[in-house]
Structures are given as structure tokens and as C-alpha cells.
Amino acid sequence: MDSLDLNLLRALDALLNEGSVTGAARRLGLSSSAMSRTLARLRSAIGDPLLVRAGRGLVPTPRAVALRDRVHELAHEVRGVLSPQTDRLDTITLERTFVIRANEGFIGLFSAPLVAAVAETAPRVRLRFAPKPIKHAEPLRAGLVDLEIGVLGEFAPEVRTHLLFRDRFLGVVRDGHPLLETTITPERYVAYKHVVVSRKGAFTGPVDDALRELGLRRQIVAVVPGFPDALRIARQSNLIALVPRSCFDIGLMSGDPLIQGLVSFKLPVPTPEIAILAMWHPRMDADPAHRWLRETVISVCLTAFPRHRERQGAAS
């Protein structure tokens, strides 16, 4: 392979298509004598005369005729590999499967509009949503995941991010819950029992940190893996659930039965905003198809959260 000269492939393509040393030389910007020497090298390498004299011209041998189409395709592929990547992307003909790793909250809220947006512009593209049991960069590094959605966490420093939207937790109770009878204070908030969501089974979070500063502590009696589970429990009991605003508001706007019979309220203690990010490995930065996927996800999220459009400058 050390002696392989890809210029020979280009020259062979020109010779077989032109059927003339002079024509091939003109096509490649070479002299006729240089092209004649190249033809001699090709004859030696392939073990066939390729072009033989017939009167005043040259005609291809059977071997040359058999090679012509294949050589042309190979030369085209080599030029594509060794040429700068173009940003032009034909989504109509794009055939690719993208893996998006996200928690069930994002999948529940955005999978349907995202699939619809992709199907409209790229009918041959497939999406595979993968579960997100832990926050870890290895699936992105290994190429097992194309796009990660969620909170940054302890990610590798090389991972690229783009802010999709900002979220905040809300309290949720059943309609008619006694907590709603008057002003919701921290003291009244902790007077009732709670259900929380944690994939790791944790019983405390930022809300508890804020309450602790006031000398208060809420009584958590149930930990569930997903927000839909917490909402179902809150609707059928006096337990207070804690869910992201996006989970409740979009469900409310879409008429999701899961939200029926529930009322949300602003927490009586301050909690930090949640930055929901799209994350990908830097090797995918210049890939036009991946860039299109990122832009599609961003567009879907901005449609759901138009207020975030004014704050887009906060994206990293």
C-alpha cells in the first residue's frame, strides 16, 4: 500500500472516459508525454494494455470496458473523501438513524412533535430514543448516542452544549387539596406529606436545602422514578408532588389526561432554575446531518417555550 498512487485512479478514469491520451491529458492539465508515461504505468500495474491502436485512434480492451464504470465510481468516491465537506444537505434523501438519549420527561413531552418535524423534512430519517439512567459522557464519546438531552451534570469538558430552555420546579396537588384554601407558606407546605421523583432514589433535593435554611423539613413518604408516577399519586391522595413547569404546562396545553384534576402552585421557597441542554461530542460539530438534527431539536423546543427565544444568548 505504500506504493499506491491515487493519481493513477484519476488518470485511469480520464483515459477510459476520453478514449484518448491527448483528451485525457487535456482533461487533467498534463502534457501528452506525461499522460503517455502514466498509461504505461497503468498497463504495468493492471497487466493489460487498456487502450490499443485502431487506425488513427485508440480503442479500449475488454478489460478496460469492464473497468470503466467501476473506476469512474471509485474516482468519484475518492474525490468525495478527499475533498472539503460541503454544508449542503438534502434531507429528503438523507437515510440515517439518530440516537437521542433523554429522560422520560423530555421523551414524553417532545418525542411526538420532534418525530413529526423530522418526518416532514427528512422522511427517511429514523429516531431512536434511549433511556438515561445516569448522567455520563461515555455513550457520546463512544458514538453510541448522537445527542444527549438534559442537565449538564458531571460531563467531560470536551462535550459541546446548547441551551434548549430553562425550567423550574412547581408544586402540584389534587384539585380541592386543603393546601389551596389559603396562602401557601413554607410552614403550610411542610405540614403535608410529599412524593418526589429520583432515578437514584434520593429523598432530598434543592427544595429541602431551601427549607432547611428556614429550619423546616418536609416529610417525604414516597420516591418514584418518573414524574408521571408522582402526578398520578398526587391526583389520588393528599400528597404534594414536585414536577418541572414544562411537564405540567405542556401537559395542560395538550389536554393530557394525566394533568386532569391537578393544580400547580409556585413553591414558597426559592429554588434554582434548571438549564435543559442539548449535548454532543465535538467530532459531530461539522457533520451537516447532525447539525440539522440539533437545529430541529432546538426549533421544537423553542416552539414549546417561545419565551426562551429572547434569552437565547445565554446558550453555551
Side-chain angles (χ1 to χ4, degrees):
M1 292 296 291
D2 292 340
S3 62
L4 180 63
D5 185 354
L6 290 179
N7 285 318
L8 289 179
L9 180 65
R10 183 167 171 251
L12 180 58
D13 182 40
L15 283 164
L16 296 183
N17 278 276
E18 295 289 338
S20 161
V21 171
T22 303
R26 187 184 308 111
R27 179 172 174 177
L28 298 181
L30 300 174
S31 66
S32 294
S33 59
M35 184 55 71
S36 294
R37 290 194 296 271
T38 300
L39 177 57
R41 292 180 61 193
L42 286 165
R43 285 168 170 167
S44 174
I46 297 175
D48 186 89
L50 298 173
L51 295 173
V52 296
R53 186 150 305 276
R56 293 185 177 181
L58 298 174
V59 294
T61 65
R63 172 72 167 152
V65 172
L67 287 174
R68 183 160 49 204
D69 291 343
R70 184 182 176 194
V71 166
H72 183 69
E73 291 177 4
L74 287 172
H76 177 75
E77 290 183 10
V78 168
R79 283 195 296 271
V81 170
L82 299 180
S83 299
Q85 182 172 256
T86 176
D87 287 338
R88 289 176 296 180
L89 177 70
D90 184 3
T91 57
I92 297 299
T93 60
L94 177 64
E95 292 190 37
R96 191 157 163 181
T97 298
F98 290 104
V99 179
I100 299 176
R101 189 169 180 251
N103 61 33
E104 65 173 6
F106 182 89
I107 295 173
L109 295 172
F110 295 101
S111 59
L114 183 55
V115 168
V118 167
E120 182 178 356
T121 56
R124 298 183 183 181
V125 165
R126 301 187 301 177
L127 299 180
R128 182 166 71 85
F129 292 95
K132 186 179 179 180
I134 58 173
K135 301 172 186 176
H136 204 287
E138 277 309 309
L140 288 176
R141 284 174 167 169
L144 302 176
V145 171
D146 294 291
L147 201 61
E148 179 102 13
I149 307 295
V151 179
L152 185 59
E154 296 179 0
F155 259 71
E158 78 272 18
V159 168
R160 301 285 194 265
T161 67
H162 186 102
L163 178 64
L164 295 177
F165 59 91
R166 295 185 183 276
D167 215 341
R168 188 178 290 280
F169 279 109
L170 297 173
V172 177
V173 293
R174 65 172 178 81
D175 192 11
H177 194 287
L179 179 66
L180 303 174
E181 293 176 357
T182 185
T183 303
I184 301 175
T185 63
E187 290 75 16
R188 295 190 66 240
Y189 178 69
V190 300
Y192 298 92
K193 297 178 180 180
H194 297 252
V195 54
V196 298
V197 177
S198 174
R199 293 190 300 272
K200 297 180 179 180
F203 277 81
T204 59
V207 174
D208 301 282
D209 295 338
L211 289 169
R212 191 177 300 110
E213 293 184 3
L214 300 176
L216 299 173
R217 179 181 178 183
R218 59 178 178 160
Q219 185 179 359
I220 298 170
V221 298
V223 178
V224 292
F227 295 113
D229 305 308
L231 292 173
R232 293 188 189 95
I233 291 174
R235 190 173 60 226
Q236 300 176 41
S237 69
N238 272 348
L239 268 61
I240 300 174
L242 191 69
V243 303
R245 180 187 61 193
S246 59
C247 179
F248 191 87
D249 288 355
I250 294 180
L252 193 64
M253 289 185 291
S254 64
D256 189 339
L258 187 64
I259 304 299
Q260 292 180 6
L262 293 171
V263 178
S264 68
F265 61 89
K266 183 179 178 180
L267 295 175
V269 291
T271 56
E273 282 188 326
I274 310 164
I276 306 300
L277 306 171
M279 293 163 275
W280 66 94
H281 196 272
R283 69 171 175 272
M284 306 306 294
D285 266 344
D287 179 47
H290 195 277
R291 186 184 303 119
W292 165 81
L293 173 68
R294 301 193 304 261
E295 291 172 351
T296 301
V297 171
I298 292 167
S299 176
V300 167
C301 290
L302 285 178
T303 299
F305 292 91
R307 285 175 294 180
H308 168 60
R309 191 182 303 275
E310 301 173 358
R311 307 172 64 177
Q312 190 66 29
S316 58

PDB file of all heavy atoms in Angstrom, residues 255-286:
ATOM      1  N   GLY A 255     -53.949  18.983  26.820  1.00  0.00           N
ATOM      2  CA  GLY A 255     -55.102  18.248  27.308  1.00  0.00           C
ATOM      3  C   GLY A 255     -54.772  16.847  27.783  1.00  0.00           C
ATOM      4  O   GLY A 255     -55.617  15.947  27.734  1.00  0.00           O
ATOM      5  N   ASP A 256     -53.549  16.647  28.240  1.00  0.00           N
ATOM      6  CA  ASP A 256     -53.112  15.331  28.713  1.00  0.00           C
ATOM      7  C   ASP A 256     -53.976  14.904  29.902  1.00  0.00           C
ATOM      8  O   ASP A 256     -54.078  15.626  30.899  1.00  0.00           O
ATOM      9  CB  ASP A 256     -51.641  15.410  29.137  1.00  0.00           C
ATOM     10  CG  ASP A 256     -51.048  14.034  29.428  1.00  0.00           C
ATOM     11  OD1 ASP A 256     -51.818  13.087  29.683  1.00  0.00           O
ATOM     12  OD2 ASP A 256     -49.818  13.923  29.408  1.00  0.00           O
ATOM     13  N   PRO A 257     -54.611  13.736  29.818  1.00  0.00           N
ATOM     14  CA  PRO A 257     -55.443  13.256  30.936  1.00  0.00           C
ATOM     15  C   PRO A 257     -54.682  13.154  32.247  1.00  0.00           C
ATOM     16  O   PRO A 257     -55.279  13.215  33.327  1.00  0.00           O
ATOM     17  CB  PRO A 257     -55.909  11.878  30.456  1.00  0.00           C
ATOM     18  CG  PRO A 257     -55.789  11.915  28.975  1.00  0.00           C
ATOM     19  CD  PRO A 257     -54.628  12.797  28.686  1.00  0.00           C
ATOM     20  N   LEU A 258     -53.357  12.995  32.157  1.00  0.00           N
ATOM     21  CA  LEU A 258     -52.548  12.875  33.354  1.00  0.00           C
ATOM     22  C   LEU A 258     -52.630  14.132  34.219  1.00  0.00           C
ATOM     23  O   LEU A 258     -52.473  14.070  35.442  1.00  0.00           O
ATOM     24  CB  LEU A 258     -51.090  12.605  32.960  1.00  0.00           C
ATOM     25  CG  LEU A 258     -50.109  12.277  34.082  1.00  0.00           C
ATOM     26  CD1 LEU A 258     -50.495  10.979  34.766  1.00  0.00           C
ATOM     27  CD2 LEU A 258     -48.693  12.174  33.528  1.00  0.00           C
ATOM     28  N   ILE A 259     -52.871  15.283  33.594  1.00  0.00           N
ATOM     29  CA  ILE A 259     -52.910  16.554  34.318  1.00  0.00           C
ATOM     30  C   ILE A 259     -54.299  16.860  34.880  1.00  0.00           C
ATOM     31  O   ILE A 259     -54.448  17.680  35.790  1.00  0.00           O
ATOM     32  CB  ILE A 259     -52.464  17.705  33.382  1.00  0.00           C
ATOM     33  CG1 ILE A 259     -51.077  17.392  32.814  1.00  0.00           C
ATOM     34  CG2 ILE A 259     -52.416  19.041  34.097  1.00  0.00           C
ATOM     35  CD1 ILE A 259     -50.002  17.252  33.873  1.00  0.00           C
ATOM     36  N   GLN A 260     -55.293  16.212  34.344  1.00  0.00           N
ATOM     37  CA  GLN A 260     -56.671  16.500  34.780  1.00  0.00           C
ATOM     38  C   GLN A 260     -56.839  16.231  36.277  1.00  0.00           C
ATOM     39  O   GLN A 260     -56.362  15.225  36.797  1.00  0.00           O
ATOM     40  CB  GLN A 260     -57.656  15.658  33.977  1.00  0.00           C
ATOM     41  CG  GLN A 260     -57.723  16.049  32.509  1.00  0.00           C
ATOM     42  CD  GLN A 260     -58.708  15.200  31.729  1.00  0.00           C
ATOM     43  OE1 GLN A 260     -59.438  14.386  32.286  1.00  0.00           O
ATOM     44  NE2 GLN A 260     -58.727  15.388  30.413  1.00  0.00           N
ATOM     45  N   GLY A 261     -57.509  17.172  36.933  1.00  0.00           N
ATOM     46  CA  GLY A 261     -57.752  17.025  38.360  1.00  0.00           C
ATOM     47  C   GLY A 261     -56.599  17.483  39.216  1.00  0.00           C
ATOM     48  O   GLY A 261     -56.610  17.272  40.439  1.00  0.00           O
ATOM     49  N   LEU A 262     -55.590  18.124  38.611  1.00  0.00           N
ATOM     50  CA  LEU A 262     -54.427  18.595  39.355  1.00  0.00           C
ATOM     51  C   LEU A 262     -54.290  20.110  39.239  1.00  0.00           C
ATOM     52  O   LEU A 262     -54.687  20.716  38.246  1.00  0.00           O
ATOM     53  CB  LEU A 262     -53.149  17.927  38.839  1.00  0.00           C
ATOM     54  CG  LEU A 262     -53.030  16.419  39.083  1.00  0.00           C
ATOM     55  CD1 LEU A 262     -51.827  15.853  38.344  1.00  0.00           C
ATOM     56  CD2 LEU A 262     -52.927  16.113  40.573  1.00  0.00           C
ATOM     57  N   VAL A 263     -53.692  20.712  40.260  1.00  0.00           N
ATOM     58  CA  VAL A 263     -53.468  22.158  40.296  1.00  0.00           C
ATOM     59  C   VAL A 263     -52.004  22.390  40.659  1.00  0.00           C
ATOM     60  O   VAL A 263     -51.476  21.760  41.575  1.00  0.00           O
ATOM     61  CB  VAL A 263     -54.384  22.845  41.331  1.00  0.00           C
ATOM     62  CG1 VAL A 263     -54.099  24.345  41.391  1.00  0.00           C
ATOM     63  CG2 VAL A 263     -55.848  22.581  41.007  1.00  0.00           C
ATOM     64  N   SER A 264     -51.358  23.309  39.941  1.00  0.00           N
ATOM     65  CA  SER A 264     -49.964  23.617  40.239  1.00  0.00           C
ATOM     66  C   SER A 264     -49.882  24.911  41.034  1.00  0.00           C
ATOM     67  O   SER A 264     -50.786  25.749  40.986  1.00  0.00           O
ATOM     68  CB  SER A 264     -49.151  23.749  38.955  1.00  0.00           C
ATOM     69  OG  SER A 264     -49.549  24.887  38.223  1.00  0.00           O
ATOM     70  N   PHE A 265     -48.779  25.084  41.747  1.00  0.00           N
ATOM     71  CA  PHE A 265     -48.577  26.325  42.512  1.00  0.00           C
ATOM     72  C   PHE A 265     -47.086  26.613  42.615  1.00  0.00           C
ATOM     73  O   PHE A 265     -46.241  25.716  42.510  1.00  0.00           O
ATOM     74  CB  PHE A 265     -49.197  26.216  43.913  1.00  0.00           C
ATOM     75  CG  PHE A 265     -48.607  25.127  44.766  1.00  0.00           C
ATOM     76  CD1 PHE A 265     -47.497  25.358  45.587  1.00  0.00           C
ATOM     77  CD2 PHE A 265     -49.173  23.847  44.775  1.00  0.00           C
ATOM     78  CE1 PHE A 265     -46.968  24.353  46.375  1.00  0.00           C
ATOM     79  CE2 PHE A 265     -48.640  22.831  45.555  1.00  0.00           C
ATOM     80  CZ  PHE A 265     -47.527  23.089  46.364  1.00  0.00           C
ATOM     81  N   LYS A 266     -46.763  27.895  42.773  1.00  0.00           N
ATOM     82  CA  LYS A 266     -45.374  28.305  42.922  1.00  0.00           C
ATOM     83  C   LYS A 266     -44.865  27.887  44.293  1.00  0.00           C
ATOM     84  O   LYS A 266     -45.561  28.042  45.305  1.00  0.00           O
ATOM     85  CB  LYS A 266     -45.270  29.824  42.761  1.00  0.00           C
ATOM     86  CG  LYS A 266     -43.855  30.350  42.830  1.00  0.00           C
ATOM     87  CD  LYS A 266     -43.842  31.864  42.639  1.00  0.00           C
ATOM     88  CE  LYS A 266     -42.436  32.417  42.746  1.00  0.00           C
ATOM     89  NZ  LYS A 266     -42.410  33.900  42.572  1.00  0.00           N
ATOM     90  N   LEU A 267     -43.670  27.349  44.319  1.00  0.00           N
ATOM     91  CA  LEU A 267     -43.108  26.905  45.591  1.00  0.00           C
ATOM     92  C   LEU A 267     -42.904  28.094  46.535  1.00  0.00           C
ATOM     93  O   LEU A 267     -42.532  29.186  46.096  1.00  0.00           O
ATOM     94  CB  LEU A 267     -41.769  26.197  45.355  1.00  0.00           C
ATOM     95  CG  LEU A 267     -41.847  24.884  44.571  1.00  0.00           C
ATOM     96  CD1 LEU A 267     -40.444  24.350  44.297  1.00  0.00           C
ATOM     97  CD2 LEU A 267     -42.666  23.846  45.315  1.00  0.00           C
ATOM     98  N   PRO A 268     -43.118  27.890  47.828  1.00  0.00           N
ATOM     99  CA  PRO A 268     -42.992  29.003  48.785  1.00  0.00           C
ATOM    100  C   PRO A 268     -41.544  29.311  49.180  1.00  0.00           C
ATOM    101  O   PRO A 268     -41.306  30.172  50.023  1.00  0.00           O
ATOM    102  CB  PRO A 268     -43.794  28.501  49.979  1.00  0.00           C
ATOM    103  CG  PRO A 268     -43.649  27.014  49.931  1.00  0.00           C
ATOM    104  CD  PRO A 268     -43.634  26.664  48.471  1.00  0.00           C
ATOM    105  N   VAL A 269     -40.581  28.593  48.573  1.00  0.00           N
ATOM    106  CA  VAL A 269     -39.164  28.859  48.835  1.00  0.00           C
ATOM    107  C   VAL A 269     -38.445  28.963  47.486  1.00  0.00           C
ATOM    108  O   VAL A 269     -38.853  28.337  46.506  1.00  0.00           O
ATOM    109  CB  VAL A 269     -38.508  27.750  49.693  1.00  0.00           C
ATOM    110  CG1 VAL A 269     -39.050  27.786  51.107  1.00  0.00           C
ATOM    111  CG2 VAL A 269     -38.732  26.380  49.054  1.00  0.00           C
ATOM    112  N   PRO A 270     -37.385  29.765  47.402  1.00  0.00           N
ATOM    113  CA  PRO A 270     -36.671  29.912  46.127  1.00  0.00           C
ATOM    114  C   PRO A 270     -35.856  28.666  45.787  1.00  0.00           C
ATOM    115  O   PRO A 270     -35.215  28.069  46.658  1.00  0.00           O
ATOM    116  CB  PRO A 270     -35.764  31.120  46.376  1.00  0.00           C
ATOM    117  CG  PRO A 270     -35.534  31.114  47.859  1.00  0.00           C
ATOM    118  CD  PRO A 270     -36.821  30.622  48.469  1.00  0.00           C
ATOM    119  N   THR A 271     -35.906  28.275  44.520  1.00  0.00           N
ATOM    120  CA  THR A 271     -35.093  27.153  44.029  1.00  0.00           C
ATOM    121  C   THR A 271     -34.429  27.577  42.722  1.00  0.00           C
ATOM    122  O   THR A 271     -34.966  28.407  41.989  1.00  0.00           O
ATOM    123  CB  THR A 271     -35.961  25.907  43.778  1.00  0.00           C
ATOM    124  OG1 THR A 271     -37.022  26.232  42.879  1.00  0.00           O
ATOM    125  CG2 THR A 271     -36.544  25.374  45.080  1.00  0.00           C
ATOM    126  N   PRO A 272     -33.272  27.040  42.424  1.00  0.00           N
ATOM    127  CA  PRO A 272     -32.571  27.434  41.196  1.00  0.00           C
ATOM    128  C   PRO A 272     -33.282  26.948  39.939  1.00  0.00           C
ATOM    129  O   PRO A 272     -33.975  25.928  39.951  1.00  0.00           O
ATOM    130  CB  PRO A 272     -31.200  26.770  41.344  1.00  0.00           C
ATOM    131  CG  PRO A 272     -31.442  25.614  42.260  1.00  0.00           C
ATOM    132  CD  PRO A 272     -32.505  26.060  43.212  1.00  0.00           C
ATOM    133  N   GLU A 273     -33.109  27.717  38.850  1.00  0.00           N
ATOM    134  CA  GLU A 273     -33.634  27.278  37.565  1.00  0.00           C
ATOM    135  C   GLU A 273     -32.877  26.040  37.089  1.00  0.00           C
ATOM    136  O   GLU A 273     -31.740  25.793  37.495  1.00  0.00           O
ATOM    137  CB  GLU A 273     -33.488  28.382  36.513  1.00  0.00           C
ATOM    138  CG  GLU A 273     -34.519  29.483  36.621  1.00  0.00           C
ATOM    139  CD  GLU A 273     -34.430  30.436  35.447  1.00  0.00           C
ATOM    140  OE1 GLU A 273     -33.313  30.673  34.940  1.00  0.00           O
ATOM    141  OE2 GLU A 273     -35.484  30.949  35.018  1.00  0.00           O
ATOM    142  N   ILE A 274     -33.525  25.297  36.217  1.00  0.00           N
ATOM    143  CA  ILE A 274     -32.915  24.097  35.645  1.00  0.00           C
ATOM    144  C   ILE A 274     -32.605  24.386  34.180  1.00  0.00           C
ATOM    145  O   ILE A 274     -33.512  24.704  33.399  1.00  0.00           O
ATOM    146  CB  ILE A 274     -33.867  22.887  35.735  1.00  0.00           C
ATOM    147  CG1 ILE A 274     -34.404  22.735  37.164  1.00  0.00           C
ATOM    148  CG2 ILE A 274     -33.183  21.621  35.278  1.00  0.00           C
ATOM    149  CD1 ILE A 274     -35.605  21.833  37.258  1.00  0.00           C
ATOM    150  N   ALA A 275     -31.346  24.297  33.797  1.00  0.00           N
ATOM    151  CA  ALA A 275     -30.951  24.515  32.402  1.00  0.00           C
ATOM    152  C   ALA A 275     -31.002  23.176  31.670  1.00  0.00           C
ATOM    153  O   ALA A 275     -30.246  22.256  31.984  1.00  0.00           O
ATOM    154  CB  ALA A 275     -29.552  25.108  32.331  1.00  0.00           C
ATOM    155  N   ILE A 276     -31.910  23.069  30.699  1.00  0.00           N
ATOM    156  CA  ILE A 276     -32.032  21.861  29.894  1.00  0.00           C
ATOM    157  C   ILE A 276     -31.205  22.050  28.629  1.00  0.00           C
ATOM    158  O   ILE A 276     -31.446  22.971  27.849  1.00  0.00           O
ATOM    159  CB  ILE A 276     -33.498  21.562  29.545  1.00  0.00           C
ATOM    160  CG1 ILE A 276     -34.349  21.511  30.822  1.00  0.00           C
ATOM    161  CG2 ILE A 276     -33.608  20.263  28.768  1.00  0.00           C
ATOM    162  CD1 ILE A 276     -33.911  20.452  31.815  1.00  0.00           C
ATOM    163  N   LEU A 277     -30.229  21.176  28.435  1.00  0.00           N
ATOM    164  CA  LEU A 277     -29.255  21.340  27.362  1.00  0.00           C
ATOM    165  C   LEU A 277     -29.321  20.205  26.344  1.00  0.00           C
ATOM    166  O   LEU A 277     -29.707  19.085  26.669  1.00  0.00           O
ATOM    167  CB  LEU A 277     -27.840  21.379  27.942  1.00  0.00           C
ATOM    168  CG  LEU A 277     -27.547  22.386  29.052  1.00  0.00           C
ATOM    169  CD1 LEU A 277     -26.176  22.114  29.642  1.00  0.00           C
ATOM    170  CD2 LEU A 277     -27.635  23.802  28.532  1.00  0.00           C
ATOM    171  N   ALA A 278     -28.914  20.535  25.116  1.00  0.00           N
ATOM    172  CA  ALA A 278     -28.579  19.512  24.127  1.00  0.00           C
ATOM    173  C   ALA A 278     -27.069  19.341  24.188  1.00  0.00           C
ATOM    174  O   ALA A 278     -26.327  20.329  24.205  1.00  0.00           O
ATOM    175  CB  ALA A 278     -29.015  19.946  22.738  1.00  0.00           C
ATOM    176  N   MET A 279     -26.594  18.106  24.231  1.00  0.00           N
ATOM    177  CA  MET A 279     -25.163  17.831  24.389  1.00  0.00           C
ATOM    178  C   MET A 279     -24.715  16.829  23.328  1.00  0.00           C
ATOM    179  O   MET A 279     -25.441  15.881  23.021  1.00  0.00           O
ATOM    180  CB  MET A 279     -24.898  17.266  25.796  1.00  0.00           C
ATOM    181  CG  MET A 279     -25.156  18.267  26.912  1.00  0.00           C
ATOM    182  SD  MET A 279     -25.333  17.483  28.542  1.00  0.00           S
ATOM    183  CE  MET A 279     -27.078  17.033  28.528  1.00  0.00           C
ATOM    184  N   TRP A 280     -23.524  17.080  22.770  1.00  0.00           N
ATOM    185  CA  TRP A 280     -22.994  16.178  21.749  1.00  0.00           C
ATOM    186  C   TRP A 280     -21.471  16.208  21.784  1.00  0.00           C
ATOM    187  O   TRP A 280     -20.858  17.118  22.324  1.00  0.00           O
ATOM    188  CB  TRP A 280     -23.520  16.559  20.364  1.00  0.00           C
ATOM    189  CG  TRP A 280     -23.054  17.900  19.859  1.00  0.00           C
ATOM    190  CD1 TRP A 280     -21.981  18.161  19.056  1.00  0.00           C
ATOM    191  CD2 TRP A 280     -23.659  19.174  20.138  1.00  0.00           C
ATOM    192  NE1 TRP A 280     -21.882  19.512  18.817  1.00  0.00           N
ATOM    193  CE2 TRP A 280     -22.899  20.161  19.461  1.00  0.00           C
ATOM    194  CE3 TRP A 280     -24.775  19.577  20.893  1.00  0.00           C
ATOM    195  CZ2 TRP A 280     -23.210  21.515  19.526  1.00  0.00           C
ATOM    196  CZ3 TRP A 280     -25.080  20.930  20.950  1.00  0.00           C
ATOM    197  CH2 TRP A 280     -24.316  21.879  20.272  1.00  0.00           C
ATOM    198  N   HIS A 281     -20.871  15.197  21.170  1.00  0.00           N
ATOM    199  CA  HIS A 281     -19.410  15.124  21.128  1.00  0.00           C
ATOM    200  C   HIS A 281     -18.887  16.054  20.032  1.00  0.00           C
ATOM    201  O   HIS A 281     -19.512  16.172  18.969  1.00  0.00           O
ATOM    202  CB  HIS A 281     -18.959  13.684  20.871  1.00  0.00           C
ATOM    203  CG  HIS A 281     -17.517  13.461  21.191  1.00  0.00           C
ATOM    204  ND1 HIS A 281     -16.515  13.675  20.256  1.00  0.00           N
ATOM    205  CD2 HIS A 281     -16.893  13.072  22.331  1.00  0.00           C
ATOM    206  CE1 HIS A 281     -15.345  13.416  20.809  1.00  0.00           C
ATOM    207  NE2 HIS A 281     -15.539  13.042  22.063  1.00  0.00           N
ATOM    208  N   PRO A 282     -17.734  16.708  20.243  1.00  0.00           N
ATOM    209  CA  PRO A 282     -17.232  17.672  19.251  1.00  0.00           C
ATOM    210  C   PRO A 282     -16.931  17.085  17.884  1.00  0.00           C
ATOM    211  O   PRO A 282     -16.893  17.817  16.897  1.00  0.00           O
ATOM    212  CB  PRO A 282     -15.959  18.223  19.912  1.00  0.00           C
ATOM    213  CG  PRO A 282     -15.619  17.269  20.999  1.00  0.00           C
ATOM    214  CD  PRO A 282     -16.908  16.693  21.460  1.00  0.00           C
ATOM    215  N   ARG A 283     -16.744  15.760  17.791  1.00  0.00           N
ATOM    216  CA  ARG A 283     -16.467  15.203  16.466  1.00  0.00           C
ATOM    217  C   ARG A 283     -17.677  15.316  15.536  1.00  0.00           C
ATOM    218  O   ARG A 283     -17.544  15.168  14.315  1.00  0.00           O
ATOM    219  CB  ARG A 283     -16.045  13.740  16.581  1.00  0.00           C
ATOM    220  CG  ARG A 283     -17.147  12.785  17.012  1.00  0.00           C
ATOM    221  CD  ARG A 283     -16.676  11.331  16.879  1.00  0.00           C
ATOM    222  NE  ARG A 283     -17.676  10.420  17.395  1.00  0.00           N
ATOM    223  CZ  ARG A 283     -17.758  10.044  18.665  1.00  0.00           C
ATOM    224  NH1 ARG A 283     -16.877  10.517  19.545  1.00  0.00           N
ATOM    225  NH2 ARG A 283     -18.694   9.219  19.074  1.00  0.00           N
ATOM    226  N   MET A 284     -18.868  15.605  16.108  1.00  0.00           N
ATOM    227  CA  MET A 284     -20.063  15.746  15.294  1.00  0.00           C
ATOM    228  C   MET A 284     -20.350  17.198  14.899  1.00  0.00           C
ATOM    229  O   MET A 284     -21.314  17.474  14.192  1.00  0.00           O
ATOM    230  CB  MET A 284     -21.281  15.199  16.068  1.00  0.00           C
ATOM    231  CG  MET A 284     -21.124  13.788  16.578  1.00  0.00           C
ATOM    232  SD  MET A 284     -20.679  12.612  15.265  1.00  0.00           S
ATOM    233  CE  MET A 284     -22.153  12.652  14.266  1.00  0.00           C
ATOM    234  N   ASP A 285     -19.506  18.124  15.340  1.00  0.00           N
ATOM    235  CA  ASP A 285     -19.730  19.550  15.077  1.00  0.00           C
ATOM    236  C   ASP A 285     -19.948  19.855  13.603  1.00  0.00           C
ATOM    237  O   ASP A 285     -20.867  20.576  13.231  1.00  0.00           O
ATOM    238  CB  ASP A 285     -18.545  20.381  15.589  1.00  0.00           C
ATOM    239  CG  ASP A 285     -18.780  20.904  16.995  1.00  0.00           C
ATOM    240  OD1 ASP A 285     -19.935  20.882  17.446  1.00  0.00           O
ATOM    241  OD2 ASP A 285     -17.816  21.325  17.628  1.00  0.00           O
ATOM    242  N   ALA A 286     -19.049  19.336  12.751  1.00  0.00           N
ATOM    243  CA  ALA A 286     -19.063  19.713  11.338  1.00  0.00           C
ATOM    244  C   ALA A 286     -19.936  18.819  10.471  1.00  0.00           C
ATOM    245  O   ALA A 286     -20.048  19.049   9.264  1.00  0.00           O
ATOM    246  CB  ALA A 286     -17.634  19.708  10.789  1.00  0.00           C
TER     247      ALA A 286
END
